[in-house]
Amino acid sequence: MTQYQQDISEFIERAKRVINPLSPISIFAARNPWEGLEDSTFDQVAVWLKDIRDIDIYPQHAAIQTAINRGEIDVHVFEDLLYSDLKRYMNSFSEDELHAYIEHAKHVKPVDDRFLSSTDYLKLEQWVKTYYKEYDNKQLVRAESADRLTSEGKPLIEILDAHIIKWAKLYLDDFQSSWTMPRRNQGFYRAWKHLAQHDPMLNKEQRLKVKDLPNKADEAIARAIQRLKLTRENQQAYIESQLLSLPGWAGMMYYRAENDENERKLLIDYVAVRLFVEMLLLDSQFETTSHQPFYIKKG
């Protein structure tokens, strides 16, 4: 194994912390889906998920208000916690001002984005940087396909997900259908490479690129990383964002890799297929079916 291959294996080994191995339903046991992130606070994980995959795990304002009305949330506990935090970050305010703020916070409704200008957002961001000492100003690493949209406004990553679900479903079939995945015994990546050369969801140019792929998954990952221009520092975070896109399917691959001696590299295969299909879609200037151009998501 070359140093670069070892590095890729280590990146994926660390990146899998964002998913859990999912066993077959016959022996399924519920697990915390983010147990690998337990060294972070709930808020840190929530902000991170929102930033990299647009996933909001906080309850909606209406749900919170309903719980308060039903007595399911103790407002006094909320007031005590909020007061403690405000004293920490807004120590220049008087007691009366803090209590007035708390009273208002209990009834405030979310502000519609239409009422906030770009200047307002910049001011808010600056305030957070100044007063919220845990503010993390690291570069945000998102899947590039998450910010590429079709002519209908659909994120390209959803098209990528459709490709991956199709192939993962076929591979994980476990011989239950009458037609099993050809070359499945050679591993997910090589079986996909063999079949994707004839995939009608790809155009001719894309199918030729698949045909030209190396036979080793880690070499395909290296090619995709080069195309995506990922720095060494960002590679793990980028792979994490990809695993999080379909945590269930990735989790099933993870479980197989842990429990089947013949599938130890299955998660590497999965990452290789996902990154290369993303690269194919990003390199295409037009949608395969409608031939309409892609465009970059703003904001």
Side-chain angles (χ1 to χ4, degrees):
M1 178 183 290
T2 66
Q3 182 61 48
Y4 194 80
Q5 290 172 321
Q6 184 176 342
D7 289 346
I8 289 174
S9 296
E10 290 176 357
F11 284 137
I12 295 174
E13 183 67 24
R14 293 196 296 267
K16 70 183 185 183
R17 71 191 181 98
V18 302
I19 57 173
N20 257 339
L22 294 181
S23 59
I25 193 66
S26 58
I27 55 172
F28 178 79
R31 297 177 63 170
N32 174 5
W34 296 306
E35 66 181 28
L37 303 174
E38 289 180 345
D39 58 330
S40 302
T41 66
F42 182 87
D43 185 62
Q44 287 171 335
V45 174
V47 171
W48 177 67
L49 288 172
K50 181 68 174 176
D51 284 343
I52 68 166
R53 282 300 290 116
D54 301 317
I55 299 171
D56 190 350
I57 62 174
Y58 277 111
Q60 296 295 313
H61 180 270
I64 295 175
Q65 192 59 54
T66 299
I68 291 174
N69 295 339
R70 292 176 177 174
E72 297 168 353
I73 292 179
D74 190 331
V75 178
H76 297 297
V77 173
F78 161 76
E79 290 176 352
D80 291 342
L81 291 172
L82 182 57
Y83 180 79
S84 175
D85 279 348
L86 290 176
K87 285 285 287 183
R88 183 178 169 194
Y89 295 113
M90 302 170 68
N91 49 28
S92 60
F93 288 79
S94 68
E95 294 283 326
D96 289 341
E97 288 172 323
L98 288 177
H99 284 295
Y101 182 92
I102 291 172
E103 190 60 31
H104 178 69
K106 289 191 295 184
H107 305 288
V108 70
K109 295 182 179 179
V111 179
D112 193 300
D113 287 343
R114 293 174 298 174
F115 300 116
L116 288 174
S117 66
S118 56
T119 303
D120 294 327
Y121 276 114
L122 289 174
K123 288 181 179 179
L124 180 60
E125 182 180 17
Q126 187 57 50
W127 185 91
V128 172
K129 288 180 180 179
T130 303
Y131 294 102
Y132 190 59
K133 302 306 180 184
E134 296 176 6
Y135 178 80
D136 189 352
N137 198 30
K138 293 181 180 178
Q139 182 182 1
L140 182 64
V141 181
R142 283 169 58 93
E144 191 174 334
S145 53
D147 294 323
R148 189 74 63 86
L149 305 178
T150 69
S151 57
E152 297 177 348
K154 182 178 182 179
L156 186 62
I157 199 167
E158 293 183 12
I159 299 175
L160 170 59
D161 286 345
H163 279 271
I164 300 306
I165 290 171
K166 176 182 69 176
W167 294 112
K169 186 187 299 184
L170 187 59
Y171 181 83
L172 294 169
D173 175 66
D174 267 347
F175 307 103
Q176 294 184 34
S177 66
S178 57
W179 185 83
T180 58
M181 190 176 195
R183 303 197 184 186
R184 186 183 182 282
N185 62 322
Q186 296 181 14
F188 180 54
Y189 170 75
R190 296 188 71 172
W192 165 81
K193 179 179 180 291
H194 171 68
L195 292 176
Q197 299 174 40
H198 314 284
D199 187 355
M201 288 180 68
L202 300 176
N203 60 36
K204 183 178 180 180
E205 180 184 355
Q206 291 168 332
R207 292 195 294 268
L208 287 173
K209 287 182 178 180
V210 172
K211 186 177 181 179
D212 189 46
L213 272 173
N215 286 325
K216 293 184 178 180
D218 47 21
E219 292 178 7
I221 292 175
R223 187 178 296 186
I225 285 175
Q226 185 178 18
R227 153 61 184 86
L228 293 165
K229 299 179 181 178
L230 297 176
T231 64
R232 181 180 176 82
E233 293 73 22
N234 288 342
Q235 288 175 22
Q236 178 183 332
Y238 199 88
I239 292 170
E240 288 176 353
S241 72
Q242 296 290 354
L243 293 176
L244 269 175
S245 190
L246 293 173
W249 291 104
M252 285 186 274
M253 297 289 189
Y254 181 3
Y255 177 84
R256 291 286 193 92
E258 279 198 332
N259 292 276
D260 191 328
E261 187 65 36
N262 297 320
E263 296 183 305
R264 291 300 184 202
K265 294 186 176 181
L266 184 52
L267 202 55
I268 294 176
D269 282 6
Y270 177 85
V271 171
V273 173
R274 185 167 182 97
L275 288 181
F276 197 80
V277 173
E278 181 183 45
M279 188 188 82
L280 289 177
L281 296 174
L282 289 170
D283 283 347
S284 176
Q285 294 183 352
F286 301 95
E287 299 174 45
T288 305
T289 53
S290 68
H291 304 291
Q292 295 296 313
F294 292 121
Y295 62 95
I296 305 298
K297 178 181 177 182
K298 296 181 179 179

